Amino acid sequence: MTDGIVFYRSKYGSAEKYARWLAEATGFPCQDVKGAKAGQLAGAGTVALCGGVYASGIAGLGFLKKNAQALAGKKVLVLAVGASPYDEKALAQLRDHNFKNGLQSAALFYARGAWDESAMGFGDRMLCKMLQKAVGKQDPATLEPWAQALLAAVGQKCDWTDRKYLAPLLGLLQP
C-alpha cells in the first residue's frame, strides 16, 4: 500500500478502535486529529479519517476541510462511525451535509459503533433521551432504521464494532 496516515476523532472510543484496526491493516501511522498538523499531510498518498457521527456531523472532518488544498491529488477516505445500522439514505444525507468545500471527491464509508448511555456525557445522554421520547411517539411502522435502532438500544449496552466494516476501505487501497 502507498504511504498514508490514519486520523481519528472519537468521543466514546469506537472511531478510535476502527482507526487503530485500519492502521494495523495498512501499516499507516495513527493519530487523534486533535493534535494533527497540516504538515503531516505532505508525505501521505492516502489520508484516512475515522470519526464518530454526532448530530449529523462527522467528528474530525473540520481538520480535512481546513486543509482541503493539501489533500489535492491524495486518496481521501472517511469512515463515519455511528450507533445506527447501515442505511444508504442516511449515508447519502451525511455526505450531502458534510462533504462540501473541497471534500466532494473523498470516499465515504460507514461502520457501526457502540452504544452505552452510562458512558455518555450529561449533554449527550439528555439529547438522546429527548430524541428517544420524540421518536417513541411515532408510529413504529413509519420509523427510519436509525430511529428503530435508537429505540431498541434504550437501556442497553451494545458494541457493534467489527473489522468487517473496514473491508471496503481496504479494498480501495489495494493496487
Side-chain angles (χ1 to χ4, degrees), residues 1-172:
M1 295 187 190
T2 63
D3 288 334
I5 189 164
V6 179
F7 292 108
Y8 67 88
R9 190 70 192 128
S10 187
K11 212 177 208 183
Y12 298 109
S14 295
E16 180 180 358
K17 183 189 279 190
Y18 281 112
R20 295 201 181 280
W21 285 343
L22 184 59
E24 178 185 299
T26 59
F28 298 166
C30 180
Q31 177 184 336
D32 189 334
V33 76
K34 190 173 183 180
K37 305 285 184 231
Q40 293 175 277
L41 301 172
T46 299
V47 177
L49 169 72
C50 299
V53 176
Y54 307 105
S56 73
I58 302 170
L61 203 59
F63 174 74
L64 297 184
K65 288 179 180 179
K66 187 170 92 176
N67 296 290
Q69 287 184 329
L71 297 172
K74 299 180 185 307
K75 191 176 286 188
V76 180
L77 313 171
V78 176
L79 180 67
V81 180
S84 299
Y86 176 82
D87 179 60
E88 200 165 316
K89 180 181 168 188
L91 191 63
Q93 290 172 338
L94 199 60
R95 173 175 275 293
D96 290 345
H97 181 75
N98 290 281
F99 284 63
K100 301 170 186 160
N101 305 330
L103 293 180
Q104 295 87 339
S105 63
L108 176 63
F109 303 90
Y110 184 81
R112 198 153 188 211
W115 178 269
D116 182 359
E117 291 175 32
S118 67
M120 291 180 188
F122 177 78
D124 288 342
R125 196 169 45 253
M126 290 302 105
L127 286 172
C128 288
K129 293 282 185 205
M130 290 186 323
L131 187 56
Q132 289 165 348
K133 189 174 182 178
V135 168
K137 293 178 182 178
Q138 298 175 18
D139 176 4
T142 65
L143 294 178
E144 298 277 337
W146 69 266
Q148 292 171 355
L150 178 69
L151 292 179
V154 173
Q156 303 287 321
K157 183 175 181 179
C158 308
D159 184 351
W160 301 286
T161 56
D162 192 320
R163 290 176 189 259
K164 71 180 181 185
Y165 292 112
L166 295 178
L169 282 87
L170 293 171
L172 193 62

